[in-house]
Amino acid sequence: VIVFFFVFSSPLLFTVSFKYIAFWPAILVSLCFYGVLEVSDRLEKPFGWIKPNHDLSIFGHNLWNECEALHDVVDDSGEQVQDYQAIMRVKQSVSPNLTR
């Protein structure tokens, strides 16, 4: 609301010094202020589904695949809890950059 009133009252102030070409500084002020307002709105909510936001679905799919593979190993092991190394091998095959 404050930006709206400032941007639309600034041409009145520009007519004193710029006379008939007050149109150009008014356009520049409005583009700058509304551009900063839009960028701040995008930075406030970086995770979403519209295009400039970060897409986290890839991480979700990777996490799902890793959990599914670990559950398969645990389900196949039955009551043997000592299959830790088999679980770690599956974990390394699903996401090789994990060290532990």
Side-chain angles (χ1 to χ4, degrees), residues 76-90:
D76 292 343
S77 69
E79 293 297 320
Q80 299 174 358
V81 182
Q82 299 165 8
D83 266 347
Y84 177 75
Q85 293 187 359
I87 292 172
M88 291 310 290
R89 279 196 303 270
V90 170

Side-chain angles (χ1 to χ4, degrees), residues 18-83:
F18 289 106
K19 303 286 181 203
Y20 294 108
I21 59 168
F23 179 76
W24 296 109
I27 287 177
L28 182 66
V29 165
S30 66
L31 285 177
C32 290
F33 273 96
Y34 281 114
V36 167
L37 191 64
E38 183 67 26
V39 168
S40 67
D41 186 42
R42 298 291 178 164
L43 288 175
E44 183 181 7
K45 297 175 274 190
F47 304 112
W49 297 107
I50 42 180
K51 195 59 173 166
N53 294 334
H54 300 290
D55 185 17
L56 298 178
S57 62
I58 296 168
F59 299 112
H61 288 297
N62 288 343
L63 182 64
W64 177 264
N65 291 336
E66 182 178 333
C67 288
E68 189 176 29
L70 290 174
H71 279 285
D72 288 342
V73 169
V74 170
D75 288 343
D76 292 343
S77 69
E79 293 297 320
Q80 299 174 358
V81 182
Q82 299 165 8
D83 266 347

Side-chain angles (χ1 to χ4, degrees), residues 2 35 48 69 74 93 95:
I2 296 172
V74 170
S93 69
S95 41

